[in-house]
Amino acid sequence: MLAVISRRSFLAAGLASGLPSLVPSAAFGEPFTLGVACGDPDPGGFVLWTRLAPMPLAVDGLGGMPEAPVPVHWQVTTDPAGKDVVRRGVGEAVRDWAHSVHVEVTGLLPGREYWYRFKAGPYLSPIGRALTAPAPGSVPRSLRIAVCSCANYQHGYFTAYARMAQERPDLVLNLGDYIYEQGSDHLLTLGGNVRDHEGAEAVTLADYRRRHALYKTDPDLQAAHAAAPWVAVMDDHEVVNNWTNLIPAERRGAAFRAYYEHMPLRPSARPGGPAIQLYRRLHWGNLAALHVLDTRQYRDAHQCAPGYSSCPLPADPSRSMLGLDQEQWLLDGLRRFGARWELIGQQVFFGQRDRDPGLDRVVRQDAWDGYTAARLRLSEGWIEAGVRNAVVLTGDVHAHWAGNLVLDYDDPDSRPIGAEFAVTSISSGGDGHDIDPATDPLLAGNPHLRLHLRRRGYLMIQITPSTLTADFKIVPYVSTPGAPVVTAGTFALHDRIRGLIPVAGTTPSPRHPDSSAAELRRQS
Ligand SMILES: [Fe+2]
């Protein structure tokens, strides 16, 4: 857990360590209402984020800040008490960027844990935990990544974020739908909404800023950011449901800007109008490379309506999910670095999910199933690149899935070429329900798929040089706060061995035995 220190001792520690007490001429109230965050670690540092917003839901989206720029002091320490300062500096929060701060910290030691905080006027921020990536060329013993996506504020409490924070992962990979753009009147059909978006559908920059600020006031989300560095990428609801480039540039630009302003992204991601650079690569020594993709911004438009359908048009080989530049960038990266585990973090379902039990193919056109030629190009590309272990990490679908990836999904004997783990939602869809894997038509009709859970939660991935283990974590409810977490299924991959291996013997939390989870585990 994060160290709990009173505000008074924070201040004392800050002054003792030489953090200057600089009160800007224009006064404002407690500005650290949105928490703090760290992102995109490399061997020498990371980016630190905060945004000053004494009135987070101010109608103009500017958080109740004065117009003048405000100096924001930051420091990085080796201890959670904030005493052993190893880096410090001052950034400037300006109104143009909604008084957000993105500090790139450099010159730190690789593979270390650090702590950070900010100071603006007389106010000290909460403390956050940061990590630097291991040294290039090293083979670290382990990497623990929590994967999450799809946190609809109206649909439920963010308990899964809190449980994720308690596990103190090395990294959090957020695969999008970090906010939802919909208005207060957008209802969840089952049971109704448990919280309120406090506004109409986000369209303008002020709308998107207010929506991000509302989400960031959630204490469970703040805890998840303070616990570990994040690697975040957007999906569709940061802009609008199932968007493609047909959405007006002005709206995309507003959504991109607000996303940058609220995320621990490096300034290289700072958007220029309707464009934001989000695809990027992180390295964890030679143990793992994380290729983070953007499957929204550069894709060709849907060939058929984005939901499940049988698209009568033949797969057009010229259509792309990633755009040709990003596709080339990914294949180059898979060839060049030779990490033991190549993790591809992206938004939409990669393997086939055919709903039709017969010969027709009823698939989701918004997913890679709607871009089959691009999927085959990429799959063959990583085989040709000699990738040692390919693992695709996916968001978007509001359900946990584990599946083998193959070249020919119509051939039941097609051998695995990699694996996909799709993470369920933090809260989107509400409590969810248990399904019977024995009678689930998607599992029955798609033999490469091995696990399907429709509860809320996150994915915890533990990587060592020899093994990757994926724990599917679920919370039994999100309609009220405070749910426990249980591991509802575990799959392993062994180095250079293709194909998912179910791991028996994961035990639910003894305080809250969940028989349905145990049942699913037996059958998985
Ligand atoms: Fe979603």
Side-chain angles (χ1 to χ4, degrees):
M1 284 301 296
L2 299 175
V4 178
I5 303 172
S6 73
R7 177 150 293 279
R8 188 175 297 247
S9 60
F10 259 144
L11 192 58
L15 293 174
S17 62
L19 204 65
S21 175
L22 202 158
V23 187
S25 51
F28 47 84
E30 165 62 59
F32 294 109
T33 58
L34 308 181
V36 297
C38 169
D40 283 22
D42 69 19
F46 32 70
V47 61
L48 299 179
W49 170 92
T50 193
R51 181 189 160 205
L52 310 179
M55 295 161 61
L57 299 184
V59 177
D60 61 4
L62 294 170
M65 284 299 289
E67 210 173 315
V70 176
V72 180
H73 299 266
W74 57 269
Q75 68 178 30
V76 174
T77 61
T78 58
D79 62 318
K83 292 204 165 86
D84 180 26
V85 179
V86 289
R87 284 284 178 284
R88 68 159 63 95
V90 56
E92 195 177 52
V94 301
R95 178 169 252 194
D96 232 23
W97 293 94
H99 290 94
S100 61
V101 181
H102 298 78
V103 174
E104 284 187 297
V105 182
T106 58
L108 298 173
L109 295 172
R112 298 292 176 92
E113 185 178 53
Y114 291 97
W115 307 81
Y116 64 92
R117 68 180 175 195
F118 299 92
K119 186 168 186 284
Y123 302 100
L124 280 161
S125 78
I127 275 192
R129 172 178 170 263
L131 267 78
T132 49
S138 66
V139 183
R141 268 175 304 181
S142 75
L143 165 61
R144 285 172 66 245
I145 306 181
V147 187
C148 58
S149 72
C150 297
N152 189 313
Y153 187 86
Q154 299 200 128
H155 288 186
Y157 291 92
F158 290 170
T159 314
Y161 276 146
R163 300 289 171 255
M164 203 174 79
Q166 286 165 345
E167 297 205 38
R168 295 219 329 181
D170 298 319
L171 281 180
V172 172
L173 174 62
N174 182 279
L175 294 170
D177 287 2
Y178 181 87
I179 60 155
Y180 280 72
E181 84 288 4
Q182 295 135 346
S184 304
D185 56 346
H186 192 272
L187 291 177
L188 172 67
T189 45
L190 288 173
N193 291 340
V194 303
R195 300 193 286 187
D196 188 346
H197 264 160
E198 303 197 22
E201 178 172 331
V203 178
T204 67
L205 179 56
D207 296 341
Y208 283 112
R209 282 172 167 164
R210 290 183 74 232
R211 186 58 52 79
H212 273 281
L214 173 68
Y215 276 57
K216 275 281 193 335
T217 58
D218 183 280
D220 292 334
L221 177 53
Q222 289 192 12
H225 276 295
W230 280 44
V231 178
V233 67
M234 67 168 69
D235 190 15
D236 55 335
H237 285 285
E238 285 86 351
V239 183
V240 63
N241 190 28
N242 291 334
W243 69 274
T244 64
N245 278 346
L246 302 176
I247 293 298
E250 192 182 342
R251 184 173 185 183
R252 277 183 282 138
F256 293 171
R257 190 177 184 98
Y259 184 75
Y260 174 77
E261 288 168 350
H262 291 84
M263 285 305 202
L265 294 169
R266 290 186 181 267
S268 55
R270 187 156 53 197
I276 182 169
Q277 174 64 44
L278 288 175
Y279 67 82
R280 59 203 192 272
R281 196 149 27 231
L282 284 88
H283 301 275
W284 215 255
N286 282 349
L287 179 64
L290 173 58
H291 312 262
V292 181
L293 306 187
D294 179 343
T295 60
R296 286 284 161 204
Q297 231 182 139
Y298 315 102
R299 65 158 76 192
D300 287 309
H302 303 113
Q303 212 168 359
C304 290
Y308 273 96
S309 72
S310 170
C311 192
L313 302 168
D316 173 357
S318 73
R319 290 176 73 248
S320 173
M321 176 69 97
L322 301 176
L324 293 183
D325 286 352
Q326 184 180 192
E327 197 172 305
Q328 207 49 56
W329 167 89
L330 175 59
L331 291 173
D332 285 349
L334 290 170
R335 264 183 228 114
R336 186 159 357 133
F337 297 103
R340 192 162 295 216
W341 299 93
E342 304 278 2
L343 312 175
I344 299 172
Q346 54 96 46
Q347 292 78 11
V348 290
F349 213 83
F350 193 82
Q352 179 171 293
R353 281 185 308 164
D354 179 5
R355 273 194 178 177
D356 185 84
L359 292 179
D360 200 6
R361 197 190 323 249
V362 176
V363 295
R364 208 170 133 75
Q365 301 296 327
D366 187 58
W368 286 86
D369 273 334
Y371 299 77
T372 49
R375 175 169 65 197
L376 187 60
R377 262 198 317 273
L378 186 49
S379 303
E380 289 176 337
W382 81 54
I383 293 172
E384 189 216 320
V387 163
R388 185 157 164 165
N389 300 290
V391 179
V392 176
L393 304 170
T394 300
D396 183 54
V397 288
H398 304 182
H400 276 321
W401 290 92
N404 286 315
L405 299 174
V406 298
L407 283 180
D408 182 359
Y409 291 93
D410 293 330
D411 172 7
D413 295 325
S414 195
R415 299 178 64 82
I417 57 159
E420 177 173 26
F421 299 111
V423 65
T424 192
S425 59
I426 291 289
S427 63
S428 304
D431 288 342
H433 58 272
D434 297 324
I435 55 165
D436 181 356
T439 59
D440 178 34
L442 278 168
L443 287 176
N446 298 275
H448 56 283
L449 298 176
R450 304 297 308 279
L451 174 100
H452 179 199
L453 297 169
R454 301 204 74 84
R455 289 281 181 186
R456 310 290 78 93
Y458 58 95
L459 187 57
M460 187 60 75
I461 298 205
Q462 167 98 26
I463 301 171
T464 69
S466 63
T467 312
L468 181 150
T469 310
D471 284 326
F472 289 88
K473 303 278 186 164
I474 61 170
V475 289
Y477 51 87
V478 293
S479 50
T480 50
V485 65
V486 295
T487 300
T490 300
F491 281 85
L493 291 165
H494 294 302
D495 181 31
R496 291 189 195 275
I497 298 172
R498 307 279 177 257
L500 289 165
I501 300 163
V503 176
T506 46
T507 35
S509 157
R511 280 190 303 128
H512 304 277
D514 183 327
S515 58
S516 60
E519 181 62 22
L520 283 174
R521 199 170 49 255
R522 262 199 303 284
Q523 297 179 14
S524 66

